């Protein structure tokens, strides 16, 4: 069963699950490859150093790739346990506990780009009674648009449960000023 169906992220990724996730060689490999692909999609000019927001940064696996490619980053995640693992790994990026669906606490125009690896599908679920996926997506994309510099790019890798989730995420991104589209790299992957 999908993790977002079992519990809110901050509960699902408890201290045991956070360490298990972060030490799994297959997960590390996949997250690394997905982050490398996200950087390809962002298409920075050669030699460009960017300040990147890593949304749902977890234990900092994707942030480590950003560092290795010469970028600076700040990560936000709602699981304190995942952030603790990132801190224990001594990642270079700044870490912040926060729920992407409740807003992004940064000044306008702070980031050159944003990435999210395996996280934004959580916006589509209502793990708590107070969660409203439509409101959460709208808040997320509205605030993300504000914290990025004009013309910034985003690369989000996620696991949609169905076509409706893709349509909802696309709708709220477009509604809040984003342009571009969706790239389906691995349509037959499971």
């Amino acid at each position: 069963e999908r993790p977002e169906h079992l519990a809110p992220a901050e509960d699902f990724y408890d201290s045991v699950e956070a360490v298990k996730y972060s030490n799994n060689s297959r997960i590390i490999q996949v997250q690394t490859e997905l982050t490398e692909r996200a950087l390809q999609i962002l298409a920075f000019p050669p030699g460009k150093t960017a300040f990147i927001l890593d949304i749902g940064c977890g234990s900092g696996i994707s942030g480590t790739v950003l560092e290795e490619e010469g970028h600076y980053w700040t990560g936000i995640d709602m699981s304190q346990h995942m952030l603790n693992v990132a801190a224990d790994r001594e990642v270079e990026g700044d870490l912040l506990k926060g729920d992407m669906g409740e807003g992004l606490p940064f000044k306008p125009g702070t980031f050159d780009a944003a990435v999210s690896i395996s996280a934004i599908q959580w916006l589509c679920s209502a793990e708590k009674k107070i969660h409203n996926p439509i409101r959460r997506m709208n808040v997320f994309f509205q605030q993300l648009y504000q914290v990025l510099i004009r013309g910034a790019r985003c690369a989000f890798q996620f696991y949609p449960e169905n076509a409706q989730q893709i349509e909802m995420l696309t709708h709220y991104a477009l509604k809040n000023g984003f342009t571009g589209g969706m790239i389906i790299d691995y349509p037959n992957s499971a």
Side-chain angles (χ1 to χ4, degrees):
E1 199 168 352
R2 297 171 67 99
E4 59 269 22
H5 289 216
L6 299 174
E10 69 264 33
D11 296 334
F12 181 81
Y13 292 107
D14 60 14
S15 59
V16 173
E17 191 65 31
V19 169
K20 187 168 64 170
Y21 182 95
S22 303
N23 289 327
N24 181 305
S25 60
R26 177 71 179 135
I27 289 174
I28 293 168
Q29 177 188 354
V30 169
Q31 295 290 81
T32 297
E33 290 172 4
L34 291 170
T35 307
E36 289 168 347
R37 178 64 179 132
L39 284 170
Q40 290 173 351
I41 291 167
L42 291 174
F44 293 117
K48 162 93 170 141
T49 298
F51 186 33
I52 301 173
L53 177 59
D54 184 357
I55 303 157
C57 67
S59 61
I61 296 169
S62 51
T64 299
V65 175
L66 301 176
E67 292 166 21
E68 290 169 354
E69 294 297 322
H71 301 290
Y72 299 102
W73 64 282
T74 292
I76 186 167
D77 199 281
M78 65 189 313
S79 169
Q80 185 62 54
H81 296 290
M82 289 293 259
L83 294 171
N84 291 345
V85 171
D88 290 345
R89 292 180 59 239
E90 299 181 356
V91 297
E92 303 263 333
D94 293 321
L95 303 170
L96 179 69
K97 185 177 187 315
D99 180 346
M100 66 180 138
E102 296 298 320
L104 300 170
F106 305 104
K107 292 181 181 180
T110 299
F111 298 98
D112 299 314
V115 298
S116 181
I117 307 301
S118 308
I120 67 167
Q121 68 268 11
W122 289 85
L123 290 170
C124 301
S125 300
E127 305 93 28
K128 296 181 177 179
K129 289 183 181 182
I130 61 167
H131 284 174
N132 175 324
I134 291 171
R135 187 190 71 75
R136 291 171 56 74
M137 281 183 254
N138 196 47
V139 166
F140 170 70
F141 284 111
Q142 182 180 63
Q143 294 206 358
L144 179 60
Y145 190 81
Q146 292 173 7
V147 303
L148 295 171
I149 63 168
R150 291 284 172 233
R153 293 182 179 179
C154 301
F156 301 148
Q157 178 280 325
F158 65 103
Y159 299 102
E161 189 170 1
N162 53 47
Q164 182 185 8
Q165 287 184 351
I166 296 170
E167 291 169 14
M168 287 190 320
L169 287 163
T170 302
H171 170 78
Y172 286 100
L174 293 171
K175 177 183 175 192
N176 285 288
F178 287 93
T179 59
M182 182 99 32
I183 298 172
I184 300 174
D185 271 350
Y186 304 103
N188 300 315
S189 63

